């Protein structure tokens, strides 16, 4: 990646910048849709920073008590064409009593704090259900709340008080006009890093997150107490790619700028929409040469991964998801930090020579046949005079919560090994088995898989055939193969095929029951060409193998399964996890959220 526009900006130019855009300020259309480029709207006073931070709400005296509302937001956003903007009307969060915003407020808590979120659903009533749709897709305006990656209690605390509870039944959750109170007690040894919050109602998740319903959730702890870290300006990057009709996107009978049909998020999702950062298309960041900043990356896209690279600079990664590392992992220009849908990273950036650089997402494979192309996400303008700052010194603080899981600990804590299988089964149903008047695939190229349970009366809740989309006549499911204390095969084989597959909404869906305080080793297999993104709630995973081969272990909660799996030769990841502190029900699922909504999710209950 080449360096562009190396002409330095003088000290006088820098001092005359005059302002930076403050949090919560609504940008004029010119800045909202500004593109890259070396001149842009720099003007005589030097480059203007157009990067905006979401509003920040921070805990005091050990408590953060916030009231959020969900409503429609009518606003204008940038598009792939810098000279064209798009009017949209999409679901969004806002502080109760205030206006909805493109990016929900950033919530900042310390380890040991209590976070309370009162969620008020101010969306209109649900539209009349489409009789051809699966029943659980009939509630696009019901919602709930998930704190993605937090190690917190997942159940119902008491009458009217909820933990990170996401297993609401059909038609449940927070209905339009209703309110729900959530409370999360952050453990004192909780990892310090970037997390986020978003809705998680089965059947409504993809449409709501593909609107504007997401916000950053930062946990402060040991690593933040490093004085050099504290001295570095922190920028939070909420990568959003809203879906809506028009501007090149399919319409499916929906008015321009709106998202009201599940087909909009189900069809060809790898095409997606353009990526915004905190609601701005290609914002500009102004730094002084030698300045050190820490950037928090959060990929809220509902399908696509990112591969982040900064021209002419090294990104020093110090958290994977929200989990700190003692030593940096360095990514030079042209080497991307892969950020799967739902994943996060924290990096240290030291500004180089004066000039203009681009933060890019490099091209990245999302399946054996699908590539997300390279894109410019932000413009970084480095100016004179120099402001040399120290890079936070290693080793960085890491909580004992992230102590490696050894063979000895695994054996002493039960040593259970489980096999979990992700599989989308295409052409799963015969034409004469589809609901009346449903769209039909023609011809059917294969018979239903022999190990797909005959759906019987459940058929309409197993498939989405309302429109001619790329997911029609496909069952999205998770199976469970052998569960034992014996050694998991080193190489994935067809013997890992479960006897039956069940989507989450099936009455026969499996739940993984795990004893409290146990330590287990799970291998998650992928039998599809697409890299389904695996996310597990509450207890993070300590990844030890990919495709059966050992890797340098790392902690995370969101990770794409390797692409290119087949039923005879699946791909896989293997991780260990401590099921500690909390009993209760939660889930694991594909964070390609349309897949989750279609059934690629399975329950976990710790007892």
């Amino acid at each position: 990646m080449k360096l562009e526009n190396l002409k330095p900006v003088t000290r006088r130019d820098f001092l005359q910048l005059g302002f930076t855009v403050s949090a919560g300020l609504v940008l004029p259309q010119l800045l909202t849709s500004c593109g890259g480029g070396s001149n842009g709207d720099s003007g005589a006073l030097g480059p203007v920073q157009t990067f905006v931070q979401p509003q920040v709400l921070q805990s005091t005296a050990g408590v953060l008590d916030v009231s959020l509302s969900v409503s429609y937001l009518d606003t204008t956003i940038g598009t792939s064409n810098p000279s064209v903007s798009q009017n949209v009307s999409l679901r969004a969060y806002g502080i109760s009593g205030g206006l909805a915003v493109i990016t929900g407020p950033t919530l900042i808590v310390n380890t040991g704090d209590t976070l309370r979120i009162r969620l008020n659903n101010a969306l209109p009533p649900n539209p009349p259900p489409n009789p051809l749709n699966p029943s659980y897709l009939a509630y696009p305006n019901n919602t709930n709340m998930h704190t993605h990656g937090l190690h917190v209690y997942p159940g119902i605390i008491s009458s009217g008080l909820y933990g990170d509870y996401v297993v609401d039944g059909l038609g449940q959750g927070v209905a339009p006009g209703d309110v729900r109170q959530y409370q999360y007690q952050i453990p004192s040894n909780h990892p310090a890093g970037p997390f986020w919050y978003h809705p998680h109602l089965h059947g409504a998740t993809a449409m709501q997150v593909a609107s504007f319903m997401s916000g950053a959730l930062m946990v402060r702890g040991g690593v933040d107490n490093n004085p050099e870290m504290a001295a570095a300006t922190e920028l939070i990057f909420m990568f959003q790619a809203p879906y809506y009709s028009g501007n090149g996107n399919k319409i499916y009978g929906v008015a321009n700028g709106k998202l009201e049909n599940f087909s909009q998020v189900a069809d060809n999702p790898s095409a997606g929409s353009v990526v915004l950062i905190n609601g701005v298309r290609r914002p500009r960041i102004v730094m002084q040469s030698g300045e050190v900043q820490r950037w928090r990356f959060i990929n809220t896209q509902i399908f696509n991964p990112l591969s982040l690279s900064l021209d002419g600079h090294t990104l020093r990664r110090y958290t994977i998801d929200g989990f700190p590392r003692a030593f940096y992992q360095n990514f030079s220009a042209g080497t991307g930090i892969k950020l799967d849908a739902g994943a996060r990273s924290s990096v240290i950036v030291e500004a180089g020579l004066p000039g203009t650089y681009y933060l890019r997402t490099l091209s990245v494979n999302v399946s054996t046949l699908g590539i997300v192309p390279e894109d410019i996400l932000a413009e970084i303008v480095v100016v004179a005079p120099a402001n040399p700052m120290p890079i936070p010194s290693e080793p960085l603080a890491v909580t004992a919560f992230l102590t490696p899981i050894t063979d000895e600990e695994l054996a002493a804590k039960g040593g259970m090994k489980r096999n979990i299988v992700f599989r989308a089964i295409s052409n799963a149903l015969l034409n004469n088995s589809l609901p009346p008047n449903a769209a039909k695939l023609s011809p059917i190229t294969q018979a239903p898989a022999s190990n797909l349970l005959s759906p019987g009366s459940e058929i309409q809740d197993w498939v989405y055939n309302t429109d001619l989309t790329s997911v029609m006549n496909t069952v999205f499911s998770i199976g469970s193969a052998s569960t034992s204390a014996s050694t998991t095969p080193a190489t994935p084989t067809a013997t890992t095929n479960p006897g039956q597959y069940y989507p989450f909404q099936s009455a026969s869906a499996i739940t993984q029951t795990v004893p409290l305080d146990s330590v287990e080793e799970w291998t998650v297999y992928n039998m599809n060409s697409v890299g389904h993104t695996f996310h597990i709630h509450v207890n993070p995973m300590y990844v030890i193998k990919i495709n059966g081969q050992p890797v340098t272990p790392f902690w995370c909660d969101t990770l794409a399964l390797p692409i290119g799996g087949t039923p005879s030769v699946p791909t896989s990841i293997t991780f260990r996890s401590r099921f500690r502190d909390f009993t209760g029900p939660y889930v694991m699922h594909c964070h390609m959220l349309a897949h989750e909504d279609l059934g690629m999710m399975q329950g976990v209950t710790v007892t």
Side-chain angles (χ1 to χ4, degrees), residues 104-460:
T106 296
L107 310 180
I108 300 180
V109 294
N110 301 306
T111 55
D113 281 357
T114 299
L115 170 62
R116 291 174 54 84
I117 300 176
R118 181 176 173 84
L119 182 63
N120 171 38
N121 188 348
L123 292 171
N126 290 292
N130 183 331
L132 296 180
N133 280 1
S135 61
Y136 58 91
L137 296 180
Y139 304 93
N141 289 343
N142 284 33
T143 192
N144 61 13
M145 178 65 70
H146 171 47
T147 53
H148 186 119
L150 284 193
H151 176 68
V152 290
Y153 179 63
I156 299 175
I157 299 169
S158 61
S159 177
L161 185 62
Y162 289 75
D164 193 48
Y165 184 81
V166 300
V167 290
D168 293 288
L170 180 67
Q172 297 179 351
V174 187
D178 286 348
V179 174
R180 179 179 286 183
Q181 181 67 58
Y182 291 90
Q183 181 170 297
Y184 315 96
Q185 181 62 50
I186 314 298
S188 59
N189 63 349
H190 197 286
F195 301 87
W196 61 300
Y197 61 91
H198 62 82
H200 208 294
L201 185 72
H202 184 54
T205 306
M207 288 180 65
Q208 293 181 7
V209 178
S211 296
F212 296 134
M213 290 178 65
S214 61
L217 202 173
M218 309 300 297
V219 178
R220 303 284 195 220
V223 67
D224 303 293
N225 298 326
N226 181 314
E228 296 158 341
M229 190 74 74
T233 296
E234 179 182 54
L235 298 184
I236 294 171
F237 294 67
M238 293 288 288
F239 296 105
Q240 298 168 288
Y243 284 53
Y244 51 85
S245 64
N247 193 33
N249 299 315
K250 291 187 178 181
I251 294 176
Y252 288 111
V254 176
N256 279 355
K258 293 190 173 185
L259 173 54
E260 299 296 334
N261 188 330
F262 185 80
S263 296
Q264 294 174 265
V265 294
D267 199 26
N268 298 320
S270 61
S273 295
V274 299
V275 178
L276 311 177
I277 299 176
N278 303 335
V280 180
R281 175 64 175 163
R282 291 183 180 167
R284 180 183 297 115
I285 299 168
V286 180
M287 299 178 68
Q288 286 181 270
S289 181
E291 180 184 356
V292 171
Q293 294 188 355
R294 56 174 175 162
W295 294 354
R296 309 300 197 117
F297 297 144
I298 302 175
N299 184 8
T300 77
Q301 294 186 90
I302 66 166
F303 192 89
N304 284 348
L306 297 168
S307 180
L308 300 173
S309 175
L310 178 57
D311 296 357
H313 289 74
T314 295
L315 299 177
R316 295 173 170 86
R317 181 167 69 175
Y318 70 93
T319 79
I320 298 177
D321 289 337
F323 308 105
R325 303 172 57 89
F327 298 94
Y328 297 117
Q329 290 178 293
N330 294 331
F331 293 80
S332 57
T335 303
I337 296 176
K338 188 165 183 282
L339 213 62
D340 298 311
R344 294 89 63 213
S345 280
S346 303
V347 301
I348 292 294
V349 179
E350 181 185 25
L353 295 173
T356 298
Y357 309 82
Y358 295 118
L359 176 68
R360 306 174 188 266
T361 179
L362 307 177
S363 62
V364 57
N365 289 346
V366 71
S367 75
T368 54
L369 299 176
I371 296 176
V372 180
E374 181 172 322
D375 188 19
I376 294 173
L377 302 179
E379 178 187 79
I380 289 78
V381 179
V382 179
V383 300
N387 178 27
M389 296 173 61
I391 294 171
S393 55
E394 304 167 294
L396 300 170
V398 177
T399 173
F401 184 92
L402 301 178
T403 300
I405 300 175
T406 62
D407 293 344
E408 292 75 17
E409 181 184 358
L410 178 66
K413 293 287 189 176
M416 182 68 76
K417 297 188 178 184
R418 306 186 189 226
N419 294 326
I420 311 298
V421 182
F422 277 46
R423 188 176 179 188
I425 302 175
S426 300
N427 297 316
L429 307 173
L430 298 177
N431 274 348
N432 59 10
S433 299
L434 298 178
N437 303 318
K440 307 282 176 73
L441 273 184
S442 180
I444 294 295
T445 57
Q446 66 184 60
S450 60
N451 51 357
L452 178 64
L453 179 71
S454 177
S457 62
E458 294 185 332
I459 185 170
Q460 192 164 334

Side-chain angles (χ1 to χ4, degrees), residues 491-508:
T491 302
T493 68
T495 60
T496 56
N497 260 307
Q500 301 287 352
Y501 290 97
Y502 304 92
F504 182 73
Q505 60 273 12
S506 171
S508 301

Side-chain angles (χ1 to χ4, degrees), residues 480-491:
S480 176
S482 60
T483 300
S484 70
S486 61
T487 302
T488 301
T491 302

